[in-house]
């Protein structure tokens, strides 16, 4: 990953921190097209009573609105944490070409209940008509995981 890609991924992790500051889930996303940021988002859907208000879906909505299209072909989504099946599916339907994520959604790293199941994106990706390029940026995993662990230590979903 080039330096610009690393900066975009760091920004996604910063969005995750911002999400926690706003009382949300520790996930952040950034959509980049033609080397330019077209959207960034936090995961505060449950605060707004919106079960689809995850960072990735919110970033995709904003990118589509900003670009006045439903086609994000050649766009890259940078995520602080590997997205859930819903957000992966939204990225697929929106035409996102590549997803770069900092932290894997394995039970050893992140509690399984955050994802409501064990279906993984790689399986879905392999079965879809069009594959999204998936890139795990392992050098950022500990930084992203720390945001999640700090959120959990502050009460996570049980925080009042």
């Amino acid at each position: 990953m080039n330096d610009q890609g690393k900066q975009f991924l760091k920004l996604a992790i910063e969005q995750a921190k911002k999400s926690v500051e706003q009382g949300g889930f520790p996930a952040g996303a950034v959509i980049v097209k033609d080397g330019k940021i077209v959207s960034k988002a936090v995961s505060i859907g449950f605060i707004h009573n919106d079960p689809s208000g995850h960072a990735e879906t919110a970033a995709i909505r904003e990118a589509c609105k900003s670009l006045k299209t439903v086609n994000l072909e050649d766009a890259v989504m940078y995520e602080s944490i590997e997205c859930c099946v819903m957000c992966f599916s939204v990225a697929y339907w929106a035409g996102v070409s590549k997803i770069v994520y900092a932290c894997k959604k394995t039970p050893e790293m992140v509690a399984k209940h955050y994802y409501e199941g064990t279906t993984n994106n790689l399986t879905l990706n392999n079965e879809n008509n069009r594959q999204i390029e998936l890139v795990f940026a392992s050098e950022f995993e500990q930084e992203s995981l720390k945001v999640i662990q700090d959120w959990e230590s502050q009460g996570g979903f049980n925080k009042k």
Side-chain angles (χ1 to χ4, degrees), residues 25-71:
F25 183 76
V30 175
I31 305 282
V32 174
K33 188 163 169 102
D34 300 325
K36 294 183 173 69
I37 296 170
V38 291
S39 69
K40 51 190 178 179
V42 297
S43 190
I44 56 174
F46 66 90
I47 293 171
H48 297 293
N49 302 309
D50 178 3
S52 69
H54 297 192
E56 300 86 352
T57 297
I60 290 167
R61 280 187 193 122
E62 186 59 35
C64 288
K65 195 181 293 185
S66 173
L67 296 172
K68 297 180 179 13
T69 185
V70 295
N71 183 356

Side-chain angles (χ1 to χ4, degrees), residues 52-120:
S52 69
H54 297 192
E56 300 86 352
T57 297
I60 290 167
R61 280 187 193 122
E62 186 59 35
C64 288
K65 195 181 293 185
S66 173
L67 296 172
K68 297 180 179 13
T69 185
V70 295
N71 183 356
L72 296 178
E73 186 178 351
D74 297 326
V76 179
M77 180 162 60
Y78 293 88
E79 309 170 333
S80 63
I81 183 171
E82 185 178 4
C83 62
C84 70
V85 171
M86 177 190 71
C87 292
F88 179 80
S89 297
V90 172
Y92 172 81
W93 284 106
V96 170
S97 297
K98 181 177 180 179
I99 296 174
V100 180
Y101 56 96
C103 185
K104 286 186 175 181
K105 66 175 185 180
T106 60
E108 301 81 41
M109 299 304 280
V110 180
K112 184 172 84 176
H113 70 271
Y114 296 161
Y115 292 97
E116 301 300 330
T118 58
T119 302
N120 71 50

Side-chain angles (χ1 to χ4, degrees), residues 13 16 26 79-81 102-103 140-149:
I13 295 169
E79 309 170 333
S80 63
I81 183 171
C103 185
F140 292 94
E141 187 163 49
Q142 290 306 311
E143 184 179 350
S144 182
L145 187 58
K146 182 172 180 351
V147 178
I148 297 164
Q149 291 168 335

Side-chain angles (χ1 to χ4, degrees), residues 113-160:
H113 70 271
Y114 296 161
Y115 292 97
E116 301 300 330
T118 58
T119 302
N120 71 50
N121 296 339
L122 187 57
T123 300
L124 287 175
N125 201 35
N126 289 335
E127 294 177 1
N128 283 340
N129 291 330
R130 174 187 64 81
Q131 278 68 55
I132 298 173
E133 182 183 351
L134 301 174
V135 178
F136 168 51
S138 61
E139 65 268 32
F140 292 94
E141 187 163 49
Q142 290 306 311
E143 184 179 350
S144 182
L145 187 58
K146 182 172 180 351
V147 178
I148 297 164
Q149 291 168 335
D150 289 350
W151 172 78
E152 288 173 332
S153 72
Q154 297 168 13
F157 283 123
N158 300 317
K159 187 176 178 180
K160 301 282 185 212

